[in-house]
Amino acid sequence: SKQPIRVAVTGAAGNIGYALLFRIASGAMFGPDQPVALNLIEIPPALDALKGVVMELDDCAFPLLKDVVATTDMDEGFKDVNWALLVGSVPRKAGMERSDLLGINGKVFTGQGKAIGANAAADVRVLVVGNPCNTNCLIAMNNAEGVPNDRFFAMTMLDENRAKTQLAQKAGVDVTEVSNMTIWGNHSATQYPDFYSAKIGGKSAAEVIDDEAWLKDTFIPDVQTRGAAIIKARGASSAASAANGIVDSVRALTTPTAPGDTFSMCLCSDGSYATPEGLIISFPCRSDGQKIEIVKGIELNTFSRTKFDASVQELSEEREAVKDLI
Ligand code: NAI
């Protein structure tokens, strides 16, 4: 029988954790024939809540779930893990500057990066979700001794999924008709959802929708600020769709991408598209099931280039703010 894939989840007792763990354990992430083990990592104030989550996992009697570790100790938590899903982070509170947030989380992701380097399985891959996820990923990557840079990812899949549905609804087509939906840059309000290279039924989404004013002035800001709109409507953040984005991200990385299609993922720039090497940037990617490549040669017109450059500039500034940690 197959060895379980061991998955660490930080912030496991949080809102995303509550929506995510049950999908991993049910087989949604690695498929219906693949056993899994969960290493749930929290901070001490959330340990009681985490115990409750473990009780609920027990009560599902998931056939694929072979082991659950619940801990506040990072060395124990990252021991032998094949995947590390870094979801937990300190939220921005009233009066906190973005630089404060970068500093506080910087310390968290320094420690987690070190613990991953020291304890994880040789094939470990890391997906950072906790915000600011690109720069948190940059910090973890630079502190995880012995783990190659190409194992580190940060999530723009939720943004991609949001953008796909907006385009499909505008065009009046099924969401499966939308492909090549690239989010370029930072997972932040500066991200650029590229409607020129996105396709609807194989044709440029910009041509199919034929309404540049809507695409530029409604679609882009709607995708960029969707998280805030959900908080306003629901009184709580977008946890279920974020968890779904995590499942989709890992599936995209571990299964071959459909012919001609791409998915959005933040990963360590190799200088592609004239970006600074070493920054964690969202690009159009493909997977062969194992290896991930940045898809080259997508044409960026002046509008696209300007939007992408502004988002990369923000990432350069974030790196500058945490330069002592990397
Ligand atoms: P939440 O506040 O409900 O849960 C976060 C959990 O992390 C809490 O249980 C907390 O105790 C734990 N935690 C805090 N510091 C920790 C540490 N050092 N080690 C382990 N656990 C720690 O937040 P929620 O809704 O689950 O969101 C988590 C993060 O995901 C937030 O930073 C949010 O901004 C981000 N996010 C990212 C998205 C993306 O597309 N990249 C989408 C949605 C949310």
Side-chain angles (χ1 to χ4, degrees):
S1 64
K2 280 188 177 172
Q3 275 286 108
I5 293 177
R6 188 167 288 278
V7 187
V9 180
T10 68
N15 288 300
I16 293 176
Y18 194 65
L20 174 65
L21 301 177
F22 300 87
R23 296 197 59 198
I24 301 173
S26 74
M29 185 173 276
F30 296 106
D33 305 317
Q34 175 60 57
V36 291
L38 288 171
N39 283 22
L40 311 180
I41 306 175
E42 262 293 351
I43 49 176
L47 197 54
D48 279 337
L50 185 61
K51 283 181 182 148
V53 175
V54 174
M55 288 160 74
E56 285 203 71
L57 284 167
D58 285 344
D59 294 350
C60 294
F62 285 118
L64 292 172
L65 183 58
K66 301 305 175 191
D67 187 33
V68 180
V69 174
T71 183
T72 59
D73 180 276
M74 284 194 286
D75 290 324
E76 185 187 7
F78 291 117
K79 187 85 196 137
D80 297 334
V81 300
N82 309 105
W83 277 91
L85 308 177
L86 306 185
V87 178
S89 76
V90 178
R92 188 158 161 183
K93 299 189 186 95
M96 205 189 262
E97 296 295 327
R98 197 175 168 83
S99 55
D100 298 334
L101 187 70
L102 284 164
I104 293 167
N105 281 305
K107 291 199 189 71
V108 171
F109 285 83
T110 309
Q112 292 183 354
K114 289 198 168 93
I116 289 168
N119 296 285
D123 67 350
V124 67
R125 293 207 250 184
V126 182
L127 176 68
V128 182
V129 177
N131 280 318
C133 65
N134 297 59
T135 295
N136 288 341
C137 182
L138 179 78
I139 295 167
M141 179 180 83
N142 281 286
N143 284 278
E145 227 180 280
V147 185
N149 288 356
D150 65 4
R151 308 287 187 78
F152 285 83
F153 307 96
M155 186 166 92
T156 39
M157 184 62 81
L158 175 55
D159 309 293
E160 172 179 331
N161 284 340
R162 287 167 169 168
K164 276 181 165 170
T165 299
Q166 293 303 313
L167 292 181
Q169 289 180 352
K170 179 72 176 175
V173 301
D174 192 84
V175 72
T176 56
E177 291 288 305
V178 184
S179 67
N180 303 79
M181 183 66 248
T182 301
I183 307 293
W184 298 88
N186 194 2
H187 167 73
S188 76
T190 66
Q191 65 176 266
Y192 172 50
D194 178 3
F195 52 80
Y196 290 110
S197 65
K199 290 178 180 161
I200 297 176
K203 294 197 229 48
S204 165
E207 280 168 37
V208 173
I209 289 176
D210 195 23
D211 185 347
E212 289 224 342
W214 180 83
L215 289 163
K216 290 180 175 171
D217 304 331
T218 302
F219 168 74
I220 292 179
D222 278 2
V223 173
Q224 289 172 335
T225 62
R226 184 74 164 180
I230 288 167
I231 291 175
K232 191 158 175 274
R234 217 173 75 83
S237 70
S238 47
S241 52
N244 182 69
I246 297 170
V247 172
D248 284 355
S249 294
V250 174
R251 287 199 71 82
L253 292 167
T254 54
T255 57
T257 310
D261 204 357
T262 59
F263 61 88
S264 302
M265 189 63 64
C266 312
L267 40 69
C268 185
S269 172
D270 58 358
S272 289
Y273 293 96
T275 56
E277 265 178 61
L279 279 182
I280 302 289
I281 300 174
S282 185
F283 286 110
C285 296
R286 287 184 56 80
S287 171
D288 65 5
Q290 262 293 316
K291 247 183 78 62
I292 313 304
E293 57 161 355
I294 298 170
V295 174
K296 312 279 162 80
I298 293 172
E299 223 173 292
L300 294 170
N301 63 20
T302 307
F303 180 84
S304 296
R305 192 71 236 188
T306 305
K307 291 280 180 199
F308 182 32
D309 285 349
S311 197
V312 172
Q313 179 57 33
E314 181 183 50
L315 284 169
S316 293
E317 287 162 16
E318 288 185 18
R319 174 162 69 179
E320 186 58 25
V322 301
K323 64 172 186 295
D324 298 342
L325 302 172
I326 60 178

